[in-house]
Amino acid sequence: MSQATQPLDVHKLREDFPILSQKVHGKPFVFLDSGASAQKPKQVIEAMRFVMEAQYANVHRGLHYMSEKASDAYEAVRDKVAELINAGSRDEIVFTRNATESVNLVAYTWGRSALKPGDAVAVSEMEHHANLVPWQMLRDAHGTALRIVKITESGELDWDSLEEVFADGKVKLLSLTHMSNVLGTYTPVERLAKFAHERGAKLMLDGAQAIVHRAVDVRAIDADFYVFSGHKLYGPTGIGVLYAKAEILEQMPPFMGGGDMIASVGYQNSTWAKPPHRFEAGTPAIIETIGLGAAIDYVRAVGFDAIAEHERHLTEHALGVLSQIEGLRILGSAQDRGGVISFVMKDAHAHDIATLLDRQGIAVRAGHHCAEPLMGRLGVTSTARASFGLYTLPEEIDALATGLERVRKIFA
Amino acid sequence: MSQATQPLDVHKLREDFPILSQKVHGKPFVFLDSGASAQKPKQVIEAMRFVMEAQYANVHRGLHYMSEKASDAYEAVRDKVAELINAGSRDEIVFTRNATESVNLVAYTWGRSALKPGDAVAVSEMEHHANLVPWQMLRDAHGTALRIVKITESGELDWDSLEEVFADGKVKLLSLTHMSNVLGTYTPVERLAKFAHERGAKLMLDGAQAIVHRAVDVRAIDADFYVFSGHKLYGPTGIGVLYAKAEILEQMPPFMGGGDMIASVGYQNSTWAKPPHRFEAGTPAIIETIGLGAAIDYVRAVGFDAIAEHERHLTEHALGVLSQIEGLRILGSAQDRGGVISFVMKDAHAHDIATLLDRQGIAVRAGHHCAEPLMGRLGVTSTARASFGLYTLPEEIDALATGLERVRKIFA
Amino acid sequence: MNEALYDSIVLDRARHPRHAGRPAAFDAMGAGENRMCGDQVSIFRVGSTYRHEAVGCAILAASAELMCDAATGKNAGEIAILAKSFEQLVKTGQASPELGDLNALAGIAQYPSRLRCATLPWSALKASLAGDPGAGDRDHD
Amino acid sequence: MNEALYDSIVLDRARHPRHAGRPAAFDAMGAGENRMCGDQVSIFRVGSTYRHEAVGCAILAASAELMCDAATGKNAGEIAILAKSFEQLVKTGQASPELGDLNALAGIAQYPSRLRCATLPWSALKASLAGDPGAGDRDHD
Ligand SMILES: Cc1ncc(COP(=O)(O)O)c(C=O)c1O
Ligand SMILES: Cc1ncc(COP(=O)(O)O)c(C=O)c1O
């Protein structure tokens, strides 16, 4: 265990999250569902309030004070995002609604222009629907193939399968999760980028989970596309990010048409603005983007090294205590894993687990986690999942274990 | 002037909008840019704060308390929107980012499935880019035609041109603004619906402006599609609405793929959820939707009759005082018009007008207002535009007039 | 801890079902599926008795069990009335005497997101009565 | 009211231009356009003098005028240095002696959204020097 970084003062950080002091069913609220969406610190809530109370107007086209203030605040977040992921330029950052829209944007625009019918897109067995369904839709509309890279029993990418999928040279895009929202697995992204690039394919990473837990450097990875959502990163809903390398973005046709994405419009023809504006049609999520900026400031002030270290401790602790529970099985055992743990219990269905834990104030998620095919691969219909945030306490994991013991007794 | 409705107590309402008491360049802030985006009442700011501080989690798939609370609050807004526009069912309400996305959604899904190459879409000369560019993109991708219905000198729809555009029976969609964001013109939507339906075409209305100023009844209009944005209706950014008749929505293929829009997902194939969820992929704009709900509650409590009456007075007053200013020309003189007034001034460019007014604390918009082709039609490159909200005072219009007199003297 | 929903009847019937398993021969069947969580249930009519095959949570299994109990010997009209009362029960949490053991599921009213677990067997039962095996509830939400 | 940007030089030159109008013959030209607001400007070099055709606001017109004044008689290297100083001026609002009358545009620094109005003629001038008439600034933002 590295001692290089100062451990988080989690109790102090928790004061920033008003919701965590709520009671649920009369019990202290134990929120273990950050993987679905994280809670918001006061700093984010305050930033959104501030813009609405003091600096609000529509952006970009306004020549008056409020519009300039709002535009500046909005565009400043592009710089913050670029810094967060170490993009080469702010113009490589496109604002979307969420990770899902980011993937769809790439599928609709790059997919339908850079890919030809017969080209293949490869994803893995452990993708979120957001990184599977858009490629099925592209396949059906555009004639590209869709290939599935297998995972091993431990829940890691199967490199033999990867080789196989790439064997005939048809794969032009490898689109993978950076961290599985079910198994917690981190994928070896630098190696994957090299692998894909050597074979003439681009690499897209679904960073919806990964962005939250560790520092991400898209240039060090050499990712061609990287997507994530603001709401999992302690920011508001309604705002997501697409990163793509400048030379790729420049070649991409627009996704949606409307205001702000054009260079000029005539009744018959229009020309497109340069990236990133080309991909941001209509009034953007101004307030939410500014909220995301505050979230980025927040996590960077806390520090990704400390967050990663904290979550590593939590995950180790959780794996330890959960493995003590009779009849409980943890899914996935990847070497490199983040703070997301899925499990099933003998005789107790995941939904019953979630409902019974809820009565104890403990929030976990139960279901297929938008990864239905992975459920089939794992031989289950659903799992219960506990996922951690920077505000999660080891005691909360102990409460989960106690709660699960009760569940076990009820169903024993 | 009807006396049926109680006049608004505007001074009292203004207390709900914290931003209006800001000073700008040391002057009282006169915000005449509500047509671009409206300011937010405390009630909306508070609703968003509340959800983030007390009831936040991801929606739909959660079996725990916070998720149920958030899901209930989110879905309740669908009912509020359905009531607001008198939709036949809550399932006819799709949440999007903004009006722009709503139009694009229809163009991508209904446009590419219900329209065949050779079919035509008709729009008017006074459309916002949001209701023009998506149809150009559809034309280029799908082979549909795009036709332009002319407007008259007064800035109203030219019915002869409309007849002409429909003459060969190829038009399958008439997509029109319900209220022009440049000229203020209201279009006669009931009559247009009848016209289109008699000729076998659907009617789509861009209600981005109209929804703010008067009560809208999509069933009385018999509109097939209706779109608007939350941020112009005193709600947050990042949330918009698409209404479509149930039987149309049911036939529409999905737009984006991902979580929440599926019935089942396999590695190879997926099936779609019923509307409206089919069109809402990924984590929705939960906080913003709840904010929109608060905005709807707010405007309905104020009352659309009173709002319409107030804005009619303001518009009359503004047309009166502005027409006194030497060298100022108001664009458009429609019989039925709302609280948006565009003008140009002899010798003073719209940008110079906006900058000089801003120095006096007065915010107006200047430019092409995302209606570049209309600028050409009107023979100008840009206009200055004052637009009103429920919080606008007649005195603010007088301040505008005084400011414009100064501008005139500077350029005289 | 308020675990009333998982009272002894519910747990007992979930773990020790009396009507589970596909009969060798049957007069009618109906199925229901909740694709969001993978719950599946089939209902089989054999004369005026019912059996089920339920794959899912305890609430689904117990609901299927207690429904088979209650439906036995009833005709379609009587079952329709029972189904209505049951729907009231799970929505309001108000027990009502004619529901007998089914009242054990009243607690579901506190868990709106679990409602479908309790009502899915009833959709499948209706489908079996309608003679349309596929007419069960297949929505995602 | 702080209307310093619209001081007498700026207004005077916008309304009474000395270098406006396309010359019958010229040695080089360059154009710039701001599509967001419709501003357009062309710059023509005739020997070592400059003329412009500016369609847009007063800031654009005045900037084109004062630039033509300042560029007259200068070579490409000198103009490049001047352009740099001008850029500093409009970004920082700090007047600097070598800019002479151009300092009248210092006030633009308070209006970031109007910056392009002042710099567009300079982009067009650079394009004319580069010998690429279309290389002017055509961005939308
Ligand atoms: C008439 C009209 N249509 C469409 C839009 C686009 O709205 P949004 O930018 O919120 O998508 C606007 C607003 O600018 C508008 O005024
Ligand atoms: C791995 C992964 N990818 C994509 C998504 C989709 O994110 P969103 O719903 O914010 O678009 C999620 C979140 O649910 C996720 O966990």
Side-chain angles (χ1 to χ4, degrees), chain A residues 332-352:
Chain A
S333 57
Q335 282 287 321
D336 189 9
R337 67 176 298 159
V340 161
I341 300 181
S342 284
F343 54 90
V344 291
M345 271 175 96
K346 199 163 154 304
D347 297 327
H349 189 278
H351 285 189
D352 296 321

mmCIF file of all heavy atoms in Angstrom, chain A residues 332-352:
data_model
loop_
_atom_site.group_PDB
_atom_site.id
_atom_site.type_symbol
_atom_site.label_atom_id
_atom_site.label_comp_id
_atom_site.label_asym_id
_atom_site.label_seq_id
_atom_site.Cartn_x
_atom_site.Cartn_y
_atom_site.Cartn_z
ATOM 1 N N GLY A 332 -16.728 -12.014 -10.968
ATOM 2 C CA GLY A 332 -15.546 -11.343 -11.501
ATOM 3 C C GLY A 332 -14.435 -11.318 -10.477
ATOM 4 O O GLY A 332 -14.667 -11.124 -9.281
ATOM 5 N N SER A 333 -13.240 -11.536 -10.957
ATOM 6 C CA SER A 333 -12.086 -11.542 -10.052
ATOM 7 C C SER A 333 -10.876 -10.993 -10.804
ATOM 8 O O SER A 333 -9.789 -11.532 -10.731
ATOM 9 C CB SER A 333 -11.811 -12.957 -9.564
ATOM 10 O OG SER A 333 -11.608 -13.806 -10.686
ATOM 11 N N ALA A 334 -11.106 -9.925 -11.533
ATOM 12 C CA ALA A 334 -10.014 -9.347 -12.314
ATOM 13 C C ALA A 334 -8.912 -8.841 -11.397
ATOM 14 O O ALA A 334 -9.175 -8.384 -10.287
ATOM 15 C CB ALA A 334 -10.548 -8.205 -13.182
ATOM 16 N N GLN A 335 -7.681 -8.954 -11.873
ATOM 17 C CA GLN A 335 -6.527 -8.405 -11.156
ATOM 18 C C GLN A 335 -6.705 -6.915 -10.890
ATOM 19 O O GLN A 335 -6.537 -6.451 -9.786
ATOM 20 C CB GLN A 335 -5.269 -8.568 -12.043
ATOM 21 C CG GLN A 335 -4.702 -9.948 -12.042
ATOM 22 C CD GLN A 335 -4.012 -10.247 -10.729
ATOM 23 O OE1 GLN A 335 -3.353 -9.374 -10.159
ATOM 24 N NE2 GLN A 335 -4.181 -11.462 -10.213
ATOM 25 N N ASP A 336 -7.031 -6.214 -11.988
ATOM 26 C CA ASP A 336 -7.114 -4.759 -11.896
ATOM 27 C C ASP A 336 -8.596 -4.396 -11.846
ATOM 28 O O ASP A 336 -9.293 -4.462 -12.847
ATOM 29 C CB ASP A 336 -6.437 -4.159 -13.133
ATOM 30 C CG ASP A 336 -6.283 -2.651 -13.016
ATOM 31 O OD1 ASP A 336 -6.536 -2.107 -11.913
ATOM 32 O OD2 ASP A 336 -5.901 -2.021 -14.017
ATOM 33 N N ARG A 337 -9.060 -4.027 -10.667
ATOM 34 C CA ARG A 337 -10.490 -3.767 -10.552
ATOM 35 C C ARG A 337 -10.786 -2.534 -9.722
ATOM 36 O O ARG A 337 -10.016 -2.133 -8.863
ATOM 37 C CB ARG A 337 -11.215 -4.980 -9.978
ATOM 38 C CG ARG A 337 -10.880 -5.320 -8.552
ATOM 39 C CD ARG A 337 -11.745 -6.482 -8.091
ATOM 40 N NE ARG A 337 -13.147 -6.120 -8.130
ATOM 41 C CZ ARG A 337 -14.156 -6.995 -8.185
ATOM 42 N NH1 ARG A 337 -13.910 -8.284 -8.223
ATOM 43 N NH2 ARG A 337 -15.398 -6.585 -8.193
ATOM 44 N N GLY A 338 -11.944 -1.941 -9.994
ATOM 45 C CA GLY A 338 -12.355 -0.718 -9.308
ATOM 46 C C GLY A 338 -13.491 -0.978 -8.339
ATOM 47 O O GLY A 338 -13.892 -2.125 -8.105
ATOM 48 N N GLY A 339 -14.005 0.072 -7.771
ATOM 49 C CA GLY A 339 -14.955 -0.008 -6.667
ATOM 50 C C GLY A 339 -16.381 -0.328 -7.042
ATOM 51 O O GLY A 339 -17.306 0.422 -6.692
ATOM 52 N N VAL A 340 -16.565 -1.413 -7.711
ATOM 53 C CA VAL A 340 -17.885 -1.899 -8.116
ATOM 54 C C VAL A 340 -17.879 -3.405 -7.890
ATOM 55 O O VAL A 340 -17.016 -4.095 -8.417
ATOM 56 C CB VAL A 340 -18.131 -1.594 -9.612
ATOM 57 C CG1 VAL A 340 -19.238 -2.465 -10.167
ATOM 58 C CG2 VAL A 340 -18.441 -0.121 -9.832
ATOM 59 N N ILE A 341 -18.806 -3.891 -7.076
ATOM 60 C CA ILE A 341 -18.818 -5.329 -6.769
ATOM 61 C C ILE A 341 -20.219 -5.897 -6.974
ATOM 62 O O ILE A 341 -21.172 -5.463 -6.333
ATOM 63 C CB ILE A 341 -18.352 -5.587 -5.312
ATOM 64 C CG1 ILE A 341 -16.924 -5.052 -5.141
ATOM 65 C CG2 ILE A 341 -18.427 -7.075 -4.985
ATOM 66 C CD1 ILE A 341 -16.354 -5.277 -3.747
ATOM 67 N N SER A 342 -20.303 -6.859 -7.880
ATOM 68 C CA SER A 342 -21.579 -7.541 -8.124
ATOM 69 C C SER A 342 -21.565 -8.890 -7.436
ATOM 70 O O SER A 342 -20.533 -9.563 -7.397
ATOM 71 C CB SER A 342 -21.782 -7.764 -9.630
ATOM 72 O OG SER A 342 -22.157 -6.586 -10.257
ATOM 73 N N PHE A 343 -22.716 -9.264 -6.922
ATOM 74 C CA PHE A 343 -22.779 -10.561 -6.262
ATOM 75 C C PHE A 343 -24.180 -11.161 -6.362
ATOM 76 O O PHE A 343 -25.156 -10.455 -6.619
ATOM 77 C CB PHE A 343 -22.349 -10.453 -4.783
ATOM 78 C CG PHE A 343 -23.115 -9.417 -3.998
ATOM 79 C CD1 PHE A 343 -24.291 -9.752 -3.329
ATOM 80 C CD2 PHE A 343 -22.675 -8.099 -3.947
ATOM 81 C CE1 PHE A 343 -24.997 -8.802 -2.610
ATOM 82 C CE2 PHE A 343 -23.389 -7.133 -3.234
ATOM 83 C CZ PHE A 343 -24.546 -7.489 -2.568
ATOM 84 N N VAL A 344 -24.238 -12.456 -6.168
ATOM 85 C CA VAL A 344 -25.512 -13.162 -6.067
ATOM 86 C C VAL A 344 -25.483 -13.956 -4.766
ATOM 87 O O VAL A 344 -24.413 -14.185 -4.192
ATOM 88 C CB VAL A 344 -25.747 -14.112 -7.267
ATOM 89 C CG1 VAL A 344 -25.975 -13.308 -8.542
ATOM 90 C CG2 VAL A 344 -24.585 -15.076 -7.450
ATOM 91 N N MET A 345 -26.667 -14.324 -4.301
ATOM 92 C CA MET A 345 -26.743 -15.092 -3.051
ATOM 93 C C MET A 345 -27.615 -16.306 -3.280
ATOM 94 O O MET A 345 -28.662 -16.212 -3.915
ATOM 95 C CB MET A 345 -27.354 -14.240 -1.933
ATOM 96 C CG MET A 345 -26.345 -13.438 -1.160
ATOM 97 S SD MET A 345 -27.183 -12.367 0.031
ATOM 98 C CE MET A 345 -27.090 -13.387 1.520
ATOM 99 N N LYS A 346 -27.192 -17.373 -2.723
ATOM 100 C CA LYS A 346 -27.950 -18.614 -2.776
ATOM 101 C C LYS A 346 -29.358 -18.367 -2.217
ATOM 102 O O LYS A 346 -29.512 -17.764 -1.161
ATOM 103 C CB LYS A 346 -27.221 -19.663 -1.922
ATOM 104 C CG LYS A 346 -27.591 -21.093 -2.210
ATOM 105 C CD LYS A 346 -26.534 -22.022 -1.641
ATOM 106 C CE LYS A 346 -27.104 -23.400 -1.312
ATOM 107 N NZ LYS A 346 -28.253 -23.413 -0.391
ATOM 108 N N ASP A 347 -30.350 -18.785 -2.971
ATOM 109 C CA ASP A 347 -31.749 -18.747 -2.523
ATOM 110 C C ASP A 347 -32.365 -17.341 -2.441
ATOM 111 O O ASP A 347 -33.564 -17.216 -2.245
ATOM 112 C CB ASP A 347 -31.943 -19.417 -1.156
ATOM 113 C CG ASP A 347 -31.594 -20.906 -1.224
ATOM 114 O OD1 ASP A 347 -31.843 -21.495 -2.300
ATOM 115 O OD2 ASP A 347 -31.070 -21.445 -0.243
ATOM 116 N N ALA A 348 -31.561 -16.310 -2.549
ATOM 117 C CA ALA A 348 -32.142 -14.963 -2.476
ATOM 118 C C ALA A 348 -31.954 -14.269 -3.820
ATOM 119 O O ALA A 348 -30.830 -14.140 -4.307
ATOM 120 C CB ALA A 348 -31.491 -14.147 -1.362
ATOM 121 N N HIS A 349 -33.043 -13.843 -4.394
ATOM 122 C CA HIS A 349 -32.981 -13.146 -5.666
ATOM 123 C C HIS A 349 -32.456 -11.721 -5.429
ATOM 124 O O HIS A 349 -32.708 -11.123 -4.381
ATOM 125 C CB HIS A 349 -34.388 -13.104 -6.267
ATOM 126 C CG HIS A 349 -34.436 -12.600 -7.667
ATOM 127 N ND1 HIS A 349 -34.443 -11.270 -7.983
ATOM 128 C CD2 HIS A 349 -34.483 -13.258 -8.847
ATOM 129 C CE1 HIS A 349 -34.504 -11.120 -9.300
ATOM 130 N NE2 HIS A 349 -34.532 -12.322 -9.852
ATOM 131 N N ALA A 350 -31.748 -11.191 -6.424
ATOM 132 C CA ALA A 350 -31.138 -9.869 -6.274
ATOM 133 C C ALA A 350 -32.168 -8.808 -5.886
ATOM 134 O O ALA A 350 -31.887 -7.910 -5.092
ATOM 135 C CB ALA A 350 -30.426 -9.475 -7.565
ATOM 136 N N HIS A 351 -33.382 -8.918 -6.428
ATOM 137 C CA HIS A 351 -34.399 -7.920 -6.110
ATOM 138 C C HIS A 351 -34.819 -7.996 -4.651
ATOM 139 O O HIS A 351 -35.082 -6.978 -4.013
ATOM 140 C CB HIS A 351 -35.628 -8.109 -7.005
ATOM 141 C CG HIS A 351 -35.391 -7.625 -8.383
ATOM 142 N ND1 HIS A 351 -36.391 -7.515 -9.319
ATOM 143 C CD2 HIS A 351 -34.270 -7.209 -9.006
ATOM 144 C CE1 HIS A 351 -35.882 -7.052 -10.437
ATOM 145 N NE2 HIS A 351 -34.602 -6.868 -10.279
ATOM 146 N N ASP A 352 -34.903 -9.200 -4.158
ATOM 147 C CA ASP A 352 -35.266 -9.349 -2.747
ATOM 148 C C ASP A 352 -34.147 -8.809 -1.858
ATOM 149 O O ASP A 352 -34.406 -8.163 -0.840
ATOM 150 C CB ASP A 352 -35.541 -10.824 -2.425
ATOM 151 C CG ASP A 352 -36.747 -11.365 -3.191
ATOM 152 O OD1 ASP A 352 -37.733 -10.623 -3.333
ATOM 153 O OD2 ASP A 352 -36.694 -12.519 -3.666
#
